Amino acid sequence: MTGELAISIYLGGLVLFTGFFFKKMITKEFKHYEEIMEKEGPNN
Amino acid sequence: MNSYLIGVIISMIVYLVVGNLAGKKVEDLDDYYVSGRNASTVLIVGTLVASFLSTGVFMGDTGECYAGYFIPIVIVGIMQACGYVFGSMFFGRFIRRSEVRTVPEYFGKRFNSRKVQVLCGITTVVAVTGYLLSVTQGTTLLMAELTGLDYGICLVIAWLSYSIFTMYSGSKGVIITDTIMFFVFLSAALVAVPYIINAAGGWFPAIRDLAVFDLKPGIISYHGMLGSKFETPTESVVWAISYGLVWAMVVASSPWQTSRYLMAKDEHTVIRSSVIACLCIIAINTSLYFAASMINLVNPSITPVDKNFIWAGMNLVPKWVGVVLLTGIMAAGLSSASTFLSLIGFSLTNDILQFDEDVSDKKMLKYSRILMLICSLIALVVSYFQPPAVFFFMYFAGTVLASSWGMIAFMSVWSKKITKTGAFWGILLGFLGNFIPKVITEVKGIKLPIFLDPFYIGIALSLIGVIVGSKRTEVTMEEKAYRDKLHMVPEAELDKEKMDRTYKYYKILVGAGIVVMVVLIGCYAIPYGKAVAGIK
């Protein structure tokens, strides 16, 4: 069962990692967007 | 007339009518090539998933699971799905930002080089033609099997049902029919899989029986069956993870995926649709793969193995579910075929052939349609005379563009040092480095070790080409200016409300990660372990 458990954790962990990576990227990117909006005024 | 034939004919009439109605709305080249760049998240998800899933997944991958390699295929499936998110963050949203009509045009503009654009266009046409032949023949074989009609007649029906509306409506029709087809095969999977699981005795009994299945020992173990495809568990896991990476790269950079982002109404749509597409692929593939391995408990001797789902559709589910399932498999093939045909036509007109700049949009539209008609006729003739080689064409075409363009796609956005010469040699060597070994190994029947897979040879040569080519030349002012422009955030993206909504998508991904882990542990690993321990 060890191998099956390891693969299950790996695959779930991969999707989790993708989610947290996405959060990190989007936070950094949107921080940059907000800086531009502060400088130039928001679109909305 | 049997029920399957009626289902197939009705679905094809729907695709034809909807595609042609969409074609009436085509007013200019942007409508034809990129659907007016105003597609919503649902449409982009529909076209992403429909272009990616074809008969290869419904027949090829499920066949592998049925044959005894369930977990290796699940690993590849989930890893490739994650490629959507990485692809959109590092490449997809930038290609949308460039506002080009085709992916080769992006490379041409980024490197200020007509030569690079033409080379990308040629590699697209060669590789995607292979894929088009694969799905055309796959869909035709399936239709012949279901209806009992002659191969030639089925080929003409399949060809008519994707080529007419693709030629007439371009991306405007393809994006809508793709989305309809996506919902058809999504429903097919959702409806048919529970019936198949039920026919196998129910979820937990089926897992228990497969765990100790003597006819295909190890079929749902973490390494799959040993002794033919893989000799050792390590070999199996290494194969699965390396192929997962390869296909994640295909999803992140291939033109039949990234070109879909060109139609999105904004970059937020690109990012959101990549998350949803990732989850759809995980859900559809994993449920199909579980069901395919469970078919063994009812009939372990279906040959060839790639017909396991067709057999299940005809024997394990009520008639109406079978019609939905088999129509869904057909839809998966046709949706990919329409995308591939449009990509070939667009690349020929926009990237390879050079028309006078003063040619009007109307005339260009006419030329595009004529060229697409010629391409589709060639595909029809080749599919008829070439003996069916569905999986050879798919194997050939699947990864060739990822090893040719993959690295260059990401570097074109993130590297300040890559030059047009580096890009040109990287694309050329990556293509040849994958293509030539693939043809040689296939013709001579040679089995290469995993680390010498043509994809890796191609990508290594591509990197060498990029590094050497870029070292020997300087980045020009035009290349620098275009890259700088790529990193300038368009005003339309600076919308707090849209940003807040896009940000929330991380919660969906994290939630899905937890669900995948809990479901796999609770519904697969633990019952599997108990069954194996019980027999010991």
Side-chain angles (χ1 to χ4, degrees):
Chain A
M1 185 175 103
T2 324
E4 288 69 28
L5 202 58
I7 293 290
S8 303
I9 294 169
Y10 165 69
L11 292 174
L14 180 69
V15 183
L16 258 178
F17 167 77
T18 307
F20 284 118
F21 171 82
F22 176 81
K23 184 191 175 195
K24 197 181 167 190
M25 276 291 286
I26 216 86
T27 306
K28 193 177 153 200
E29 196 67 23
F30 288 174
K31 206 175 152 195
H32 175 54
Y33 285 19
E34 277 167 4
E35 282 168 9
I36 301 171
M37 283 157 75
E38 269 173 32
K39 229 195 275 177
E40 298 173 5
N43 194 29
N44 269 7
Chain B
M1 195 183 277
N2 70 38
S3 331
Y4 304 112
L5 182 58
I6 295 169
V8 165
I9 289 175
I10 290 174
S11 63
M12 286 180 174
I13 290 172
V14 171
Y15 306 144
L16 266 173
V17 170
V18 172
N20 286 304
L21 282 176
K24 288 194 191 322
K25 291 185 179 171
V26 173
E27 286 172 3
D28 56 24
L29 277 179
D30 267 358
D31 281 343
Y32 193 67
Y33 279 72
V34 286
S35 190
R37 286 187 222 283
N38 59 8
S40 63
T41 304
V42 174
L43 289 174
I44 299 297
V45 170
T47 189
L48 275 173
V49 179
S51 310
F52 188 69
L53 295 188
S54 63
T55 42
V57 169
F58 278 87
M59 294 166 74
D61 288 356
T62 57
E64 291 290 303
C65 293
Y66 174 82
Y69 310 103
F70 166 67
I71 279 291
I73 300 295
V74 171
I75 294 175
V76 176
I78 294 184
M79 286 181 72
Q80 75 187 5
C82 294
Y84 277 109
V85 179
F86 292 95
S88 75
M89 295 305 294
F90 289 113
F91 181 57
R93 62 197 171 101
F94 293 95
I95 199 171
R96 168 65 185 76
R97 194 174 288 182
S98 68
E99 298 200 342
V100 291
R101 285 180 180 146
T102 62
V103 184
E105 185 187 336
Y106 161 77
F107 286 110
K109 285 194 167 161
R110 165 63 181 86
F111 296 107
N112 190 34
S113 165
R114 171 86 191 135
K115 217 165 83 172
V116 170
Q117 183 176 351
V118 172
L119 180 63
C120 284
I122 292 170
T123 54
T124 301
V125 169
V126 173
V128 178
T129 300
Y131 231 142
L132 177 65
L133 291 175
S134 164
V135 289
T136 304
Q137 291 188 336
T139 313
T140 304
L141 285 173
L142 173 61
M143 197 190 298
E145 175 89 18
L146 297 182
T147 60
L149 293 174
D150 178 64
Y151 177 83
I153 295 170
C154 291
L155 178 64
V156 173
I157 298 173
W159 176 81
L160 279 173
S161 57
Y162 74 79
S163 62
I164 298 292
F165 76 77
T166 306
M167 188 179 64
Y168 177 58
S169 64
S171 291
K172 199 96 183 161
V174 168
I175 196 169
I176 297 172
T177 51
D178 267 6
T179 306
I180 297 172
M181 293 181 199
F182 161 68
F183 282 111
V184 170
F185 62 70
L186 180 68
S187 324
L190 287 176
V191 173
V193 166
Y195 278 102
I196 295 173
I197 294 170
N198 201 35
W203 183 272
F204 289 104
I207 294 288
R208 185 191 62 216
D209 294 345
L210 284 174
V212 294
F213 194 55
D214 283 340
L215 289 172
K216 295 177 186 173
I219 178 171
I220 61 162
S221 67
Y222 75 93
H223 46 68
M225 258 171 64
L226 297 176
S228 63
K229 191 171 176 152
F230 308 114
E231 294 301 325
T232 64
T234 312
E235 194 187 334
S236 162
V237 174
V238 170
W239 176 89
I241 293 177
S242 59
Y243 262 71
L245 283 172
V246 170
W247 279 93
M249 184 76 124
V250 172
V251 164
S253 63
S254 67
W256 61 89
Q257 291 293 282
T258 53
S259 62
R260 313 292 88 194
Y261 296 136
L262 296 173
M263 297 183 250
K265 65 180 171 196
D266 56 26
E267 291 171 27
H268 290 280
T269 305
V270 170
I271 295 168
R272 290 174 202 159
S273 51
S274 73
V275 172
I276 304 293
C278 165
L279 301 182
C280 286
I281 295 280
I282 290 176
I284 296 172
N285 285 12
T286 311
S287 56
L288 289 177
Y289 298 164
F290 265 113
S293 57
M294 288 178 183
I295 293 171
N296 275 294
L297 297 172
V298 189
N299 181 357
S301 50
I302 300 166
T303 46
V305 289
D306 52 29
K307 285 190 180 161
N308 72 93
F309 246 81
I310 299 174
W311 183 87
M314 290 174 150
N315 296 285
L316 293 188
V317 299
K319 194 97 178 174
W320 71 271
V321 178
V323 173
V324 173
L325 175 63
L326 298 168
T327 311
I329 300 176
M330 291 277 305
L334 291 173
S335 58
S336 301
S338 63
T339 299
F340 297 153
L341 177 62
S342 65
L343 283 177
I344 295 166
F346 295 164
S347 264
L348 267 174
T349 326
N350 193 62
D351 306 316
I352 298 174
L353 301 173
Q354 201 160 18
F355 294 94
D356 288 340
E357 278 184 14
D358 54 356
V359 172
S360 67
D361 266 21
K362 213 174 169 187
K363 268 202 167 159
M364 276 294 282
L365 205 54
K366 193 176 148 193
Y367 294 152
S368 300
R369 283 174 172 150
I370 292 170
L371 278 167
M372 211 177 283
L373 174 66
I374 294 168
C375 295
S376 71
L377 282 170
I378 293 171
L380 175 71
V381 172
V382 176
S383 298
Y384 184 75
F385 288 106
Q386 160 74 32
V390 179
F391 296 108
F392 169 72
F393 284 133
M394 189 162 289
Y395 169 72
F396 153 75
T399 63
V400 79
L401 287 180
S403 56
S404 171
W405 302 3
M407 297 305 294
I408 289 120
F410 296 115
M411 290 172 87
S412 69
V413 177
W414 299 101
S415 168
K416 288 180 182 172
K417 293 179 182 169
I418 186 169
T419 66
K420 70 179 85 172
T421 310
F424 180 83
W425 285 105
I427 292 165
L428 185 64
L429 291 177
F431 184 82
L432 296 176
N434 189 324
F435 181 79
I436 294 171
K438 238 174 204 172
V439 172
I440 293 172
T441 50
E442 198 62 29
V443 171
K444 300 262 179 200
I446 303 167
K447 194 185 171 196
L448 292 171
I450 292 163
F451 65 91
L452 274 183
D453 185 277
F455 173 82
Y456 292 114
I457 299 175
I459 212 149
L461 288 176
S462 173
L463 258 180
I464 292 170
V466 171
I467 293 168
V468 175
S470 299
K471 277 229 178 290
R472 292 173 66 91
T473 47
E474 293 285 322
V475 175
T476 62
M477 292 295 286
E478 290 85 358
E479 289 170 75
K480 187 183 175 302
Y482 198 87
R483 187 183 167 276
D484 289 345
K485 207 176 112 192
L486 270 185
H487 286 272
M488 282 167 63
V489 184
E491 205 179 308
E493 306 303 319
L494 304 173
D495 183 325
K496 192 79 180 76
E497 201 184 307
K498 283 182 185 174
M499 285 157 62
D500 288 343
R501 271 184 60 199
T502 307
Y503 181 79
K504 284 179 188 155
Y505 275 63
Y506 99 84
K507 292 180 185 169
I508 304 176
L509 261 177
V510 169
I514 295 167
V515 170
V516 168
M517 198 182 290
V518 169
V519 168
L520 283 179
I521 292 174
C523 299
Y524 158 68
I526 292 176
Y528 173 89
K530 279 183 182 169
V532 173
I535 205 169
K536 280 176 185 167

